[in-house]
C-alpha cells in the first residue's frame, strides 16, 4: 500500500511545518502560531462534531494545541504534524464524553440554512428534525464509529487521509467505515424511511 | 451476504475503489440483487448525511484563536511557577514551624507531635508525587494524552 499522505489542506496556505516545528522545539512559541492557524479550523470542526457545543469545541481544540506544544520536544519533525496532534485532540474529546457535557445543540446545517433557499415552513421543520435525528443517532454510536463517520461524512477526508490520522491501513478504513455506516443506518432506518415516504407522497 | 463484497459498497459510494475494483464490483452488482438492495439502502443514508454539513464558526473566532491558545500556553507556565513557589514556601514554612516547636518546650507535647506528623506526611506525599511524575514522564508512551 502507498504511504498515506497528510490530510488535504484545502483553503489553507502551505507552511514549512518541519522548519516551524524545529523552532518550536527550541522554545520559540511564535513559531507555533502558523501551525495553529493552519490546523485550527479542522481541529475545532472535529471537536464541534464531537461535542455539539461551540464553546467546548474551541476549548478542547485550543487545549489540544497547548498540550501538543508542551510535548513537541518528543515529536519527530520529519513526520506530519496533524496526525500526531489529532491523537491528542481525539483523546481529549473522548475524555470529554465521560464528563457532564455542557448543553449541546445540533451542530449540523444543510442547504436550507443558506439564505437563497426558502423552503416551506413544514419542509424546514422536517429538515430540522432530520438533522436532530442524525445527530442523536451519531451521538449514540460507539466512539470508534462516531469518529470515523465524522472524519468522512462531515470533514470530507479521503480514505488515505483517514488512514493517516488514525494510523490504520486504508483497507481497514473502508471496513470500519462500512460497519459504522451500517450501525448508523440501523438507528436512522425509521427516519430515512419516513422521509422517503414523504418525498414519494409530494 | 459476502462481507468483503458488502464492505466494498462504502468504497464504491465514496469513489474510493481502484478502476478495476470498481468494474468488478459493478459486474457483481449486475448479478446480485441482494447487493443492489444493500447499496440502495446505504445510498439513501449517505444522501441524508451528505446533505448535511457542520455548522461554521463565526469569522471573528479565528481572529482570536491564536491569541487564546497563546494565553493558555503562557498561563500554564504561570501556574507551574506559582505552584513551585507555593510548594517551596509551604515546605519551608512547615520545616521552620516544626523546628521552632521542637525547640520550644513550652508547647504541649501533642501539638509538637501533630505538627511533626503533618510535616513528615506532607514531605512523604510530595516526594512520592514528584517521583511518580518523573517515572511516568520517562516511561509513559501516551504521556501527551490526558486520561
Amino acid at each position: 500500500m502507498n504511504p498515506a499522505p497528510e490530510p488535504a489542506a484545502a483553503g489553507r496556505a502551505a507552511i514549512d511545518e518541519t522548519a516551524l516545528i524545529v523552532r518550536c522545539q527550541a522554545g520559540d512559541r511564535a513559531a507555533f502560531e502558523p501551525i495553529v492557524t493552519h490546523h485550527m479550523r479542522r481541529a475545532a470542526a472535529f471537536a464541534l462534531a464531537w461535542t455539539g457545543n461551540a464553546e467546548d469545541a474551541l476549548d478542547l481544540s485550543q487545549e489540544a494545541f497547548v498540550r501538543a506544544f508542551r510535548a513537541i520536544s518528543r515529536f519527530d519533525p520529519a513526520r506530519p504534524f496533524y496526525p500526531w496532534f489529532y491523537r491528542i485532540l481525539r483523546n481529549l474529546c473522548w475524555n470529554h464524553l465521560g464528563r457532564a457535557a455542557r448543553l449541546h445543540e445540533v451542530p449540523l446545517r444543510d442547504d436550507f440554512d443558506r439564505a437563497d433557499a426558502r423552503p416551506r415552513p413544514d419542509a424546514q421543520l422536517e429538515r430540522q428534525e432530520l438533522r436532530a435525528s442524525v445527530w442523536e443517532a451519531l451521538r449514540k454510536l460507539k466512539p470508534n464509529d462516531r469518529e470515523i463517520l465524522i472524519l468522512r461524512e462531515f470533514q470530507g477526508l479521503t480514505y488515505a487521509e483517514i488512514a493517516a490520522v488514525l494510523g490504520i491501513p486504508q483497507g481497514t478504513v473502508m471496513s470500519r467505515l462500512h460497519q459504522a455506516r451500517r450501525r448508523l443506518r440501523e438507528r436512522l432506518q425509521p427516519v430515512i424511511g419516513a422521509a422517503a415516504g414523504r418525498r414519494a407522497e409530494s | 451476504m459476502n462481507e468483503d463484497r458488502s464492505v466494498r459498497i462504502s468504497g464504491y459510494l465514496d469513489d474510493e475503489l481502484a478502476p478495476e475494483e470498481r468494474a468488478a464490483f459493478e459486474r457483481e452488482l449486475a448479478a446480485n440483487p441482494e447487493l443492489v438492495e444493500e447499496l440502495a439502502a446505504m445510498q439513501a443514508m449517505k444522501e441524508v448525511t451528505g446533505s448535511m454539513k457542520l455548522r461554521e464558526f463565526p469569522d471573528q473566532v479565528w481572529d482570536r484563536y491564536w491569541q487564546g491558545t497563546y494565553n493558555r500556553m503562557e498561563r500554564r507556565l504561570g501556574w507551574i511557577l506559582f505552584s513551585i513557589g507555593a510548594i517551596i514556601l509551604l515546605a519551608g514554612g512547615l520545616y521552620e514551624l516544626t523546628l521552632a516547636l521542637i525547640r520550644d518546650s513550652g508547647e504541649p507535647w501533642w501539638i509538637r507531635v501533630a505538627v511533626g506528623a503533618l510535616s513528615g506526611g506532607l514531605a512523604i506525599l510530595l516526594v512520592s508525587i514528584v517521583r511518580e511524575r518523573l517515572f511516568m514522564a520517562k516511561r509513559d508512551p501516551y504521556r501527551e494524552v490526558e486520561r
Side-chain angles (χ1 to χ4, degrees), chain B residues 3-115:
Chain B
E3 190 56 30
D4 181 52
R5 221 178 267 164
S6 166
V7 161
R8 274 183 289 144
I9 289 175
S10 274
Y12 182 75
L13 287 175
D14 292 327
D15 203 14
E16 288 273 359
L17 295 180
E20 62 276 16
E21 285 177 316
R22 192 172 180 84
F25 184 77
E26 281 170 350
R27 278 195 300 276
E28 283 176 44
L29 270 180
N32 188 340
E34 208 186 329
L35 191 62
V36 174
E37 205 177 306
E38 168 93 4
L39 176 70
M42 271 306 182
Q43 200 158 15
M45 196 204 61
K46 203 172 146 45
E47 271 167 23
V48 169
T49 54
S51 68
M52 295 172 188
K53 301 270 176 287
L54 278 175
R55 287 198 182 281
E56 283 155 14
F57 289 93
D59 282 346
Q60 55 268 35
V61 162
W62 308 122
D63 298 338
R64 296 192 302 257
Y65 193 91
W66 162 247
Q67 197 52 51
T69 308
Y70 185 86
N71 289 344
R72 277 168 181 256
M73 287 158 62
E74 206 172 47
R75 276 176 211 150
R76 180 69 50 92
L77 180 68
W79 276 111
I80 291 170
L81 291 175
F82 178 85
S83 304
I84 291 171
I87 288 168
I88 292 171
L89 282 178
L90 189 68
L94 272 173
Y95 175 74
E96 290 297 331
L97 183 65
T98 309
L99 279 185
L101 282 172
I102 289 168
R103 286 181 193 133
D104 182 5
S105 52
E107 288 295 337
W109 67 268
W110 57 271
I111 290 187
R112 285 189 279 161
V113 169
V115 172

Side-chain angles (χ1 to χ4, degrees), chain A:
Chain A
M1 196 180 69
N2 295 329
E6 188 187 0
R12 296 186 295 267
I15 55 168
D16 184 356
E17 214 163 69
T18 307
L20 289 168
I21 287 168
V22 170
R23 279 172 56 197
C24 290
Q25 288 178 330
D28 181 357
R29 272 189 249 172
F32 200 45
E33 179 177 1
I35 297 175
V36 171
T37 309
H38 190 68
H39 298 291
M40 63 189 179
R41 285 179 175 78
R42 188 164 32 154
F46 178 81
L48 177 64
W50 195 267
T51 61
N53 181 294
E55 212 177 310
D56 283 347
L58 292 173
D59 190 49
L60 286 169
S61 59
Q62 286 184 319
E63 182 61 24
F65 280 116
V66 172
R67 286 174 191 227
F69 186 79
R70 213 170 61 188
I72 207 137
S73 60
R74 297 192 291 267
F75 176 65
D76 174 5
R79 289 166 49 206
F81 174 80
Y82 194 77
W84 176 75
F85 163 78
Y86 173 77
R87 283 189 267 281
I88 299 174
L89 174 66
R90 69 99 85 120
N91 277 291
L92 278 171
C93 287
W94 283 38
N95 286 335
H96 183 269
L97 272 185
R99 294 190 215 133
R102 275 184 260 195
L103 278 179
H104 64 262
E105 56 188 24
V106 178
L108 305 174
R109 63 169 173 83
D110 57 24
D111 290 342
F112 289 174
D113 294 338
R114 296 294 182 193
D116 53 356
R118 293 201 172 275
R120 297 188 324 269
D122 57 334
Q124 203 168 0
L125 188 66
E126 217 171 81
R127 290 294 303 180
Q128 206 173 322
E129 282 170 5
L130 188 59
R131 285 200 304 264
S133 303
V134 169
W135 169 240
E136 273 310 306
L138 256 180
R139 287 186 66 219
K140 285 177 183 155
L141 290 176
K142 286 181 183 161
N144 270 326
D145 288 346
R146 192 172 160 189
E147 176 183 38
I148 202 160
L149 285 168
I150 289 172
L151 292 174
R152 173 67 206 175
E153 308 290 359
F154 301 110
Q155 297 213 275
L157 267 64
T158 64
Y159 286 11
E161 290 166 349
I162 296 173
V165 295
L166 296 184
I168 56 176
Q170 281 191 49
T172 310
V173 171
M174 199 189 307
S175 66
R176 266 183 58 183
L177 186 59
H178 190 70
Q179 299 308 329
R181 277 184 176 148
R182 263 192 178 164
R183 286 186 272 267
L184 182 67
R185 196 184 75 196
E186 279 163 24
R187 291 183 185 278
L188 285 176
Q189 198 67 55
V191 185
I192 293 173
R198 277 194 296 270
R199 268 204 307 274
E201 276 171 28
S202 62

